[in-house]
Amino acid sequence: MPSQNFITGTLLLTESPSTTRLVPGTIHLRGQSIDAVELDPSQELDLSNPLLILPAFVDAHLHLPQYDSIGIDGLPLLEWLERAIFPAEARWEDAQHAADMTLRVARDLISFGTTAFAAYSTVHHAAAQAAIDTLATLNLTAHVGQVLMDQEAPAELTRPADRLIAECASLRAQGRVQPSINPRFAITCSRALLHAAGDLASKTGRFVQTHLAETVPECARVRELHEESTYTDVYAAAGLLSPNSLLAHAIHLSDHERATLSRARAIAAHCPTANRFLNSGVMDRRSLASASVPIALGSDIAGGPDRSMVRVARAMLDAAKQLGHKPPTAGEAWHAITAGNAALLGFEDLGVLRAHSRADLILARPTIPLTAPDPLSTLLYAWDDRWIESVLVAGVPAYTR
Ligand code: GUN
Ligand code: ZN
């Protein structure tokens, strides 16, 4: 007999943004998966002292080697990269350091409820493979890419384009961790490197991760370095836009560029905490959504200082309010950091409490009642990481408070 067990509590159901809600029920587990979800709507919803059962969080954009660089304040993006981030990334020349740091970072992310993500390593090939292998030992689900840079960065962090592409192509998947293709952004990549990365993406079907239009000076430098008339066209011409492309930030865009992203079904990774920390601009989520650009949500550690995806979700609402737009609902926010991000990243068995989903779960007990009229809003704004009692990865407790 396979072992079987169950958890009864208040379930966060995240099937769609508009129907995300709390319902009493029981999750039956079998091995690594959810065997069945039994809803009990006849039972009164416990909002005063519930055991919450949530699908674990998915982060659509973060930088593993930047984890210890959170909070280096006062520098705009390009100076911050040069003075704070590149020195930290240079330390990943030591692949053992990369493996050790990845293990520590991953355990910390799990304690915040994140069990799946799309991430960058560094330009170092051995470090990228070490990060992939280490994440797989923890049973996490991820896209992780070696950073591709062949210009406009310190010499120790650049490589010739052909070497980078050969190294990137030879990265091996491990467990549920897939290598992705991460040309850092159009400043640090030559035309040849971007086009070769696009070719590799179409040959392999791997995810592409890059940054797009995060700050005004960055956009100006891209115009100086590349011949295309817009930043988005630089990536389009290189074959880097597809439904498997994650474009972080996507703030300073024209309608034409939004239409280009939309036609390609390329994904904008909204990073509201990073945009605030680096003072890069406020992303107009409403315009992207109106143009039907798929929008994921990312912490962008260390540009974003917040490790909890709940705080990133809150910042998404704050950014919309700052622009005077109607913010997404709390239900939409909970959906975005679970099922929404999972679907966009191709993690179809994550983000939703349903039979056959993988049992990546958060068990949390709020210390204040989730008062009406919208318990999901109370949950979002009052959320405290100390509420997390345990986090399961593939049915096994990977963090216990
Ligand atoms: N643009 C290019 N590289 C980076 C990075 O590491 N972080 C952020 N926030 N933006 C970038
Ligand atoms: Zn980033």
Side-chain angles (χ1 to χ4, degrees):
M1 269 290 274
S3 74
Q4 193 163 10
N5 50 20
F6 62 90
I7 316 164
T8 296
T10 298
L11 315 185
L12 179 70
L13 301 184
T14 55
E15 253 84 12
S16 82
S18 59
T19 61
T20 291
R21 65 195 189 283
L22 296 168
V23 176
T26 298
I27 301 272
H28 296 266
L29 303 178
R30 185 194 284 263
Q32 303 199 341
S33 303
I34 295 175
D35 192 37
V37 177
E38 221 178 313
L39 301 184
D40 189 359
S42 65
Q43 180 149 335
E44 203 179 327
L45 186 60
D46 178 5
L47 293 174
S48 58
N49 185 31
L51 175 65
L52 294 175
I53 307 167
L54 296 82
F57 305 139
V58 182
D59 187 340
H61 181 79
L62 68 97
H63 297 260
L64 296 165
Q66 298 180 15
Y67 212 76
D68 300 338
S69 307
I70 289 171
I72 302 177
D73 205 357
L75 299 168
L77 174 68
L78 299 179
E79 287 78 2
W80 175 78
L81 285 174
E82 199 179 305
R83 287 165 54 187
I85 295 308
F86 290 155
E89 295 195 0
R91 292 196 272 282
W92 275 39
E93 188 189 358
D94 176 351
Q96 187 57 50
H97 168 70
D100 294 345
M101 184 167 171
T102 299
L103 188 63
R104 174 168 57 80
V105 167
R107 287 187 173 141
D108 201 53
L109 288 171
I110 293 169
S111 77
F112 285 91
T114 297
T115 68
F117 46 81
Y120 289 59
S121 62
T122 62
V123 76
H124 310 94
H125 180 64
Q129 189 63 59
I132 290 170
D133 295 347
T134 303
L135 295 171
T137 65
L138 296 176
N139 249 331
L140 296 173
T141 306
H143 300 286
V144 177
Q146 177 178 350
V147 168
L148 309 179
M149 297 200 279
D150 68 344
Q151 63 180 28
E152 302 266 321
E156 77 255 37
L157 292 179
T158 56
R159 310 273 185 272
D162 51 358
R163 172 176 164 190
L164 284 171
I165 294 299
E167 289 181 349
C168 177
S170 72
L171 283 173
R172 284 169 279 105
Q174 196 69 256
R176 290 167 56 98
V177 185
Q178 297 289 327
S180 59
I181 299 167
N182 294 31
R184 183 175 212 123
F185 65 160
I187 292 183
T188 56
C189 298
S190 67
R191 176 186 165 80
L193 178 56
L194 292 173
H195 282 249
D199 288 348
L200 185 62
S202 66
K203 258 192 249 146
T204 59
R206 288 183 189 170
F207 265 69
V208 167
Q209 303 189 55
T210 188
H211 298 85
L212 172 65
E214 180 176 359
T215 69
V216 171
E218 167 201 355
C219 295
R221 188 74 185 117
V222 170
R223 272 196 303 278
E224 287 167 1
L225 290 166
H226 293 276
E227 67 197 32
E228 285 76 12
S229 56
T230 74
Y231 197 159
T232 303
D233 281 339
V234 174
Y235 293 150
L240 285 165
L241 301 185
S242 85
N244 288 347
S245 306
L246 285 162
L247 303 148
H249 305 284
I251 302 174
H252 304 281
L253 297 176
S254 64
D255 288 345
H256 164 82
E257 290 179 280
R258 281 187 275 267
T260 302
L261 294 175
S262 175
R263 270 196 308 280
R265 305 295 300 149
I267 304 159
H270 182 19
C271 301
T273 48
N275 299 342
R276 191 169 60 195
F277 179 74
L278 291 172
N279 210 10
S280 302
V282 184
M283 199 262 236
D284 181 351
R285 188 179 176 280
R286 186 176 72 179
S287 293
L288 273 176
S290 306
S292 302
V293 177
I295 306 171
L297 199 54
S299 68
D300 191 24
I301 293 164
D306 289 290
R307 292 166 288 169
S308 164
M309 285 308 293
V310 182
R311 278 190 286 282
V312 175
R314 234 187 263 169
M316 170 177 70
L317 274 62
D318 294 342
K321 289 178 191 173
Q322 208 180 328
L323 291 173
H325 298 170
K326 182 171 174 289
T329 64
E332 287 168 335
W334 285 107
H335 178 268
I337 61 174
T338 55
N341 272 355
L344 289 171
L345 269 57
F347 305 152
E348 299 298 344
D349 62 350
L350 293 179
V352 186
L353 303 180
R354 71 156 83 97
H356 312 303
S357 273
R358 185 177 163 89
D360 281 16
L361 305 173
I362 299 168
L363 308 184
R365 197 173 292 274
T367 52
I368 62 164
L370 306 176
T371 48
D374 184 357
L376 287 183
S377 184
T378 308
L379 188 62
L380 183 70
Y381 283 100
W383 180 266
D384 185 326
D385 302 311
R386 292 171 298 178
W387 292 358
I388 298 179
E389 292 191 342
S390 64
V391 179
L392 275 58
V393 177
V396 177
Y399 166 77
T400 307
R401 197 163 107 80

